[in-house]
Every structure is written in structure tokens, then in C-alpha cells.
Amino acid sequence: MLECLVTLCFVILVALIWSGSKYFGTESPPAALLVSQQAAKDQTRLCVFDRQGSDDAQAAATDQKAGAVALICKPCWPYDSPVQFVRDNLQLSDDGLVALDWAVPAYQKRRRTSSHSTSPVLLIIPNHLGKITRNVLKLCEMALSDGYLPAVFNRRSHNSTPLTTLKLQQFGDPADLREAVRYIRYRQPAGKLYAVSESTGSGLLLSYLGECGSSSYMTAAVCLSPVFRCQGWFDNGLCRALQWALVLYQKICLSRYKTALGETIQTDTLFSSCSLRGLEEALFCQTGQAGSAPAAATGTSSYSNTSSTWDGYWEHNEPLRDVDEVAIPVLSVCAQDDPVRGDTLSTVPFELFETNPHFFLLLTEHGGHCGFTTQSDGSTTGALGEVGSAVAPNSGMGSHGTNWSHRALLEFFRATTAFFTAEERVKQLAARRRGLGGGAGGRVFRHRSVSTCKQVPACSHNIHAIYNCQRSYTR
């Protein structure tokens, strides 16, 4: 829906500029063209001009270029991604369904990855509306080229996932994600697990990392353009035009379940809401229609942990509520000119990054919202990732451009893994020298493997023993 709105705005803009050029009698090309075909012909003729007229011709060509209007924006047409997805529908403990979309190259036949694969798994969490953006597709493309197994997590009812229970996932409730991670560990037990979240999807990732602590099964995580203070963001964090578009998109997604949801919530209030806060309150902060039977009596699963107040809802869903329990390195990539997150000083918790050794902030002057674009000359430019961005060069799997933030997060994963590997090697060497506590000068240790001398920790990389810096951050 958002892509349709952007396309409509693009067409209107081109029509206005084209009609204006005709009205004023100018010969400027449309906004979407940098140089017209006539300008290209004139440039060709410059090669056959004599030397006396060459200066005048070059000056005329320069004047014509100066009068051209350049519009650099995110393409409005659908992204022809070189990846395809193989879906796993996961039935949860309450009979609900979430989905994992495993990315595979489009030129290969649809097949599942072997459970004996040692390739690292990259779990991607899209925004809280479930929209699979162009940046998510590009990230899957680059991750595949780097040897990862990308998997996109889809919440209940998101991205054509069937809604089998009268329950939707709250903004920061990690219960469904926890079961999905357990399934990934069961399916790929030999591969390391990394996580990337985009935009408001970072709320779910940070909630999961805080609640699970050292038992998250993840090696490292990255948040792209995250929204940290989510209650304030729902209250007054977006301009009206963008908020209207997001509300409309969410209503369209929920409209197919209007009859079923009417048993537990007030659908009239839900579909008459004009703000993101109104939608969230209607879904999770109301007890249902007057006179309706309670969920326990009807045998259906209602919205769990519903709060009667807005503040009570965010006590259980604020992403940073358990941030001091996070036990893995987390990188946040943010831009100062992000129009979605809001003012940098009031929306970015700098005290968290200054005091907590597990959190790192990569703050750029430009980049907008998920729009950290790489140009062909290797430099970076900032634009609106969700609204518009400059076209990037070819890389990844060979046919499309990528964002430098994607390359940065993969490099962060490599550096983190190398750090843990080096620390583990040092620990093993020290244990070998000690002989694991005086075992005849280490002779006993040399006849057995490390795995037989200790239990496998909750995290495969034993991060809670390696990355044990003293944390001073307090809420």
C-alpha cells in the first residue's frame, strides 16, 4: 500500500513538472530524467565540430545541463529481487501460527537447507507492521552471497500468515519469537545465530534479548534505524501524513479478520482510529465488546496480558525495560536526520551506549530511516530508506545495489565472531596448561575433548563467560 502511495505521488510530481515546463515554454526534460535524448545527440555532435566552434558548443551543452532537473529517489516500482523464500509455518504452544521465510537464490530450485549445515543463520525481524521492505530483500541478497542462511520472522497474521487464534502479538512480547528461535536451533544446531531488526521491529528484538539474557542462543545482533522510546513514539512520534499511511496499511491487513476479532475487541473503535496509538489501544488495552463472554468461557485464546491503561501496556512492552540483562553485543545504526524516529537528543538513549559495554551506536549525520546508501564511487549518501533513497551500485549477488549499513552489520558479525573465537582459544589454552585443575600436568586433558570436560552452556559461544565486563547501566 505504501508503495502505491509513493508511486501515485511520483506520477503527480512528474505531471506537474512536465506541464509547468510546457506552460513556461522551457525545453527542460521531465524530473525523472537527468539528460534528455536531445542532449545526448548534441553531445555526439560536439565530436565533429571544428575547433573554432567547439568552445561555443561546449558552453551551450553546459547551459543545457544546468537547466536540467534531477530527481533522485527510491524507485517506486516493485523490487525484482534475485532471492525467493521457502516458508515454514510454526505451530506455537497455544495453537497460534508464525512463519519463517528462508531466503534461497532464485536461480536454484526450491529446496530446504540441510540440518547438518554449519552456515550461520541470520534471523531478520521486519517492522512491527510486518511489511517486507526493499531493504530487507537486499539484506537477504547480501547475506546469501556471504554464506548466511537468512530467515525472515513473520508474526501472527503478518505477510499472509494465517491467524488461527484470537490473539495477536503485542509490540514487545517475545514469547512467539522465543519459540521460533528454539525451532531454528533445532533445525540448524551447528550454525551460529545472528539477528537483525529493522525500524520498529527492533522493539521485539530488544525485548527478546532483555528477557532471555544469556540464554538467547544468539552471538550478536544489529538494529537498523531502531525506535528506542516506543511509547512516546506512538504518542507523537510521526507526522500526520506518514502516520495516516501506516494506519491505513494496518487497517487493510486487519480487515480480513474483522468478524473473528469482533468476538474479543471493539472493532468499531479499531477501524475508526486515526492514529497508531488508537489502533494499539483498541487491540490490546480493551477488554472486548460489552456483554461478550470471557475468553475462558468460550474456549478461545484472547489477547494475553491486556492492560486496561496505556501506561500499563507499555510496562510490559517497552523495548528497554530489561536492557540491563542483555548479554550479547548489539550494534545500533542510526542517522541524525531520521524523520521516523524523531529528534536525536530526545529519542536516542546515549546513556545506554556510554555505560553498557554490550551496546554500540553507529550514528551518522545523514541516512534518514533505513536509507544508508552506497554510491558508485564508494562514498555514502543519506536519504529516506522508507520514503526515498539514491540508487546504489551493483553488488551482492550481482544485479542490484546494497546499503552500506548491510555491509557494516555483516562486518560487525565477523569481528564479533573473531573476538569470541580468539577468547575461547585463550581459555582453552589456559585450561590445557592447568590440566583442568591439576590432572597430572595435563595428561588427562590431552586424552579427551573439551566438550567432554564441561557442559554445553546456554549460548553456544559461551558469551556469558567471555564477554563479562562489569555493567554499570541502570534503569
Side-chain angles (χ1 to χ4, degrees):
M1 186 63 189
L2 292 178
E3 294 181 356
C4 295
L5 293 176
V6 174
T7 304
L8 179 61
C9 295
F10 177 81
V11 173
I12 294 175
L13 179 61
V14 172
L16 291 176
I17 296 179
W18 178 260
S19 59
S21 63
K22 292 295 184 180
Y23 178 80
F24 292 104
T26 61
E27 295 294 334
S28 299
L33 301 178
L34 298 180
V35 180
S36 63
Q37 296 180 355
Q38 184 64 36
K41 294 180 180 179
D42 293 341
Q43 287 285 4
T44 305
R45 294 169 184 166
L46 291 178
C47 299
V48 297
F49 283 168
D50 56 2
R51 294 183 178 179
Q52 295 180 355
S54 60
D55 295 339
D56 296 336
Q58 291 178 1
T62 302
D63 294 338
Q64 186 173 7
K65 284 186 177 180
V69 179
L71 177 63
I72 302 176
C73 68
K74 178 179 179 179
C76 303
W77 49 88
Y79 177 61
D80 186 16
S81 176
V83 300
Q84 59 184 356
F85 293 97
V86 178
R87 169 160 292 191
D88 282 343
N89 289 312
L90 309 182
Q91 186 173 17
L92 306 176
S93 57
D94 63 349
D95 295 332
L97 283 182
V98 296
L100 285 175
D101 289 338
W102 297 86
V104 295
Y107 55 82
Q108 295 182 1
K109 295 182 179 179
R110 288 179 175 266
R111 66 175 185 267
R112 298 183 180 274
T113 306
S114 172
S115 60
H116 301 286
S117 174
T118 59
S119 300
V121 178
L122 182 61
L123 179 61
I124 302 174
I125 303 176
N127 55 64
H128 80 289
L129 299 180
K131 176 65 176 177
I132 305 300
T133 63
R134 181 187 301 263
N135 288 332
V136 171
L137 297 176
K138 288 185 177 182
L139 178 57
C140 293
E141 176 183 344
M142 177 175 286
L144 280 174
S145 65
D146 278 22
Y148 288 83
L149 300 177
V152 179
F153 174 75
N154 300 291
R155 310 188 196 198
R156 306 181 188 217
S157 77
H158 284 183
N159 197 16
S160 301
T161 303
L163 183 63
T164 58
T165 58
L166 298 181
K167 176 182 177 181
L168 295 177
Q169 185 174 359
Q170 297 184 10
F171 184 87
D173 182 10
D176 294 352
L177 180 60
R178 187 183 298 113
E179 295 192 43
V181 171
R182 290 175 183 172
Y183 169 77
I184 294 176
R185 293 293 300 172
Y186 170 79
R187 176 174 169 177
Q188 302 291 336
K192 295 183 181 296
L193 177 61
Y194 304 89
V196 176
S197 59
E198 182 187 46
S199 186
T200 50
S202 301
L204 179 59
L205 178 58
L206 293 175
S207 297
Y208 170 80
L209 296 177
E211 284 199 7
C212 294
S214 59
S215 300
S216 65
Y217 297 106
M218 295 181 180
T219 302
V222 173
C223 300
L224 297 177
S225 298
V227 177
F228 296 102
R229 310 185 192 278
C230 295
Q231 182 178 2
W233 183 82
F234 270 88
D235 290 336
N236 50 14
L238 279 177
C239 63
R240 291 188 177 181
L242 185 55
Q243 185 164 188
W244 176 83
L246 296 179
V247 168
L248 180 60
Y249 175 80
Q250 192 168 6
K251 286 182 179 180
I252 294 175
C253 295
L254 293 174
S255 60
R256 60 183 302 186
Y257 306 110
K258 182 177 181 179
T259 302
L261 294 178
E263 301 178 9
T264 54
I265 65 174
Q266 299 178 3
T267 54
D268 292 339
T269 304
L270 173 66
F271 290 99
S272 62
S273 302
C274 300
S275 64
L276 291 173
R277 171 176 175 171
L279 283 176
E280 201 76 6
E281 282 186 306
L283 286 173
F284 303 109
C285 298
Q286 296 183 7
T287 57
Q289 292 180 343
S292 61
T298 59
T300 59
S301 176
S302 182
Y303 293 95
S304 62
N305 298 328
T306 54
S307 302
S308 58
T309 63
W310 181 245
D311 293 336
Y313 173 76
W314 286 107
E315 288 181 3
H316 301 282
N317 289 275
E318 190 67 44
L320 300 182
R321 61 187 184 277
D322 295 319
V323 70
D324 52 342
E325 300 297 330
V326 176
I328 66 171
V330 180
L331 173 66
S332 297
V333 183
C334 304
Q336 297 185 26
D337 61 350
D338 190 336
V340 175
R341 187 196 65 247
D343 178 66
T344 303
L345 295 179
S346 60
T347 58
V348 178
F350 289 100
E351 69 279 1
L352 170 65
F353 302 99
E354 294 171 353
T355 58
N356 193 315
H358 295 90
F359 284 84
F360 305 89
L361 175 62
L362 182 58
L363 183 63
T364 64
E365 182 178 359
H366 302 288
H369 192 68
C370 303
F372 307 95
T373 306
T374 303
Q375 292 181 339
S376 57
D377 58 354
S379 60
T380 59
T381 181
L384 304 183
E386 297 293 336
V387 182
S389 64
V391 179
N394 294 336
S395 61
M397 296 179 67
S399 61
H400 299 280
T402 55
N403 290 355
W404 68 262
S405 57
H406 298 167
R407 181 59 60 188
L409 69 89
L410 295 179
E411 183 63 30
F412 175 74
F413 291 154
R414 281 192 292 267
T416 302
T417 304
F419 170 77
F420 289 142
T421 302
E423 290 294 322
E424 188 69 23
R425 188 180 299 111
V426 171
K427 287 186 58 179
Q428 293 180 5
L429 180 60
R432 186 178 294 111
R433 291 175 178 175
R434 293 194 307 267
L436 288 182
R443 296 178 182 177
V444 178
F445 177 78
R446 284 195 293 268
H447 293 284
R448 61 178 68 178
S449 62
V450 177
S451 60
T452 60
C453 299
K454 63 179 181 180
Q455 296 181 351
V456 178
C459 295
S460 59
H461 45 71
N462 199 15
I463 186 174
H464 51 278
I466 299 174
Y467 204 73
N468 57 357
C469 301
Q470 182 66 33
R471 291 172 293 182
S472 59
Y473 176 79
T474 56
R475 288 173 292 172

